């Protein structure tokens, strides 16, 4: 028996959703979303959408011509069930139905002045070690791709875990937490412009480190 959300996806969402892929390395453009679906977020390859009647799942739809869905299917197959990761409940030709993770990204925690306990960092560390044990390579793990829920850590985006090159983002974030996240900072909201300065400075430093 088909799940109600799958019927809704195949007969209402996919025939009417309009996604565009203008440039290979630019984020996709979401031109039209049929009601009552809502956009959760979008990136370079896909858009993530939710339906108010099926709050337990989200749908990740890949834009035409964008690669990666096969690799992401394999990542979820290897991860199986783990409390810090989502789970792939169904895989279509150009979309994935994922168990929805809720919480606040660490980026938003910094922006809103929500303290991030050490347990969150430990949870994410252990989850990434588990991914490595399953033959995966954690990649692109940064403040917008990890979340906190009830004081525990979650990893939101695993789409690049099949890449082979080393990615230092999580190690750098952990080091920054240990070196600069003082107790008096934890309840202090950090303005968005300041976080953007840090983000841009980090990108420049990464490029310099690669060259050197």
């Amino acid at each position: 028996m088909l799940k109600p959300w799958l019927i809704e996806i195949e007969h209402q969402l996919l025939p009417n959703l309009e996604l565009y892929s203008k440039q290979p390395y630019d984020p996709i453009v979401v031109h039209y979303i049929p009601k009552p679906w809502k956009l959760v977020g979008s990136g370079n390859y896909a858009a993530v959408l939710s339906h108010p009647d099926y709050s337990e799942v989200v749908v990740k739809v890949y834009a035409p011509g964008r690669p990666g869905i096969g690799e992401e299917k394999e990542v979820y197959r290897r991860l199986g069930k783990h409390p810090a990761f989502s789970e792939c409940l169904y895989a279509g030709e150009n979309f994935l139905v994922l168990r929805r993770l809720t919480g606040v990204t660490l980026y938003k925690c910094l922006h809103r002045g929500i303290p991030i306990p050490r347990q969150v960092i430990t949870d994410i560390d252990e989850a990434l070690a588990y991914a490595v044990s399953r033959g995966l390579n954690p990649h692109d793990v940064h403040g917008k791709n990890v979340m906190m829920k009830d004081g525990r850590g979650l990893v939101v985006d695993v789409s690049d875990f099949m890449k082979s090159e080393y990615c230092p983002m999580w190690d750098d974030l952990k080091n920054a937490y240990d070196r600069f996240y003082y107790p008096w900072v934890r309840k202090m909201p950090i303005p968005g412009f300041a976080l953007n300065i840090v983000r841009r400075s980090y990108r420049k430093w990464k490029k310099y480190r690669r060259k050197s």
Side-chain angles (χ1 to χ4, degrees):
M1 182 177 178
L2 291 178
K3 294 283 188 180
W5 42 255
L6 183 56
I7 297 172
E8 185 76 22
I9 291 166
E10 293 186 334
H11 293 278
Q12 204 260 342
L13 174 63
L14 295 179
N16 298 297
L17 179 67
E18 296 181 14
L19 300 180
Y20 292 98
S21 176
K22 290 188 174 181
Q23 298 294 333
Y25 300 104
D26 289 340
I28 64 166
V29 177
V30 183
H31 183 67
Y32 177 76
I33 301 171
K35 294 181 179 180
W37 290 90
K38 291 186 177 180
L39 182 68
V40 176
S42 61
N44 288 340
Y45 306 111
V48 178
L49 304 109
S50 65
H51 191 287
D53 293 340
Y54 310 109
S55 59
E56 73 278 12
V57 300
V58 292
V59 185
K60 185 169 186 177
V61 183
Y62 274 72
R66 290 295 170 105
I69 189 169
E71 289 82 359
E72 189 163 1
K73 288 178 185 178
E74 176 61 15
V75 170
Y76 280 112
R77 187 193 69 79
R78 295 190 192 185
L79 288 175
K81 291 188 177 183
H82 188 282
F85 293 106
S86 180
E87 179 185 355
C88 184
L89 305 176
Y90 184 87
E93 185 177 349
N94 68 326
F95 70 96
L96 303 174
V97 181
L98 307 174
R99 178 173 59 86
R100 186 169 192 172
L101 298 178
T102 59
V104 184
T105 66
L106 299 198
Y107 178 91
K108 286 186 178 178
C109 286
L110 294 173
H111 185 47
R112 298 174 184 175
I114 302 172
I116 303 168
R118 180 72 204 188
Q119 183 63 51
V120 171
I121 306 300
T122 301
D123 288 343
I124 295 169
D125 239 2
E126 292 176 352
L128 298 181
Y130 167 78
V132 171
S133 76
R134 305 296 292 175
L136 298 169
N137 180 34
H139 199 281
D140 202 31
V141 182
H142 53 75
K144 290 184 177 181
N145 282 345
V146 289
M147 290 197 308
M148 179 175 72
K149 170 72 172 178
D150 298 329
R152 305 305 298 258
L154 304 171
V155 182
V156 180
D157 189 353
V158 300
S159 57
D160 288 328
F161 278 29
M162 292 293 289
K163 290 187 175 180
S164 59
E165 67 270 18
Y166 166 67
C167 178
M169 285 187 175
W170 176 245
D171 288 337
D172 291 341
L173 192 154
K174 280 195 304 177
N175 290 335
Y177 181 96
D178 291 334
R179 294 181 61 185
F180 305 115
Y181 197 56
Y182 304 111
W184 59 268
V185 173
R186 300 185 180 194
K187 293 185 179 181
M188 180 185 299
I190 302 176
F193 76 87
L195 291 173
N196 285 332
I197 289 173
V198 172
R199 179 177 56 82
R200 288 196 296 268
S201 299
Y202 173 72
R203 285 182 175 178
K204 290 180 180 178
W205 176 73
K206 268 206 316 180
K207 289 181 180 179
Y208 173 79
R209 186 167 66 174
R210 286 173 184 169
K211 291 179 181 179
S212 60

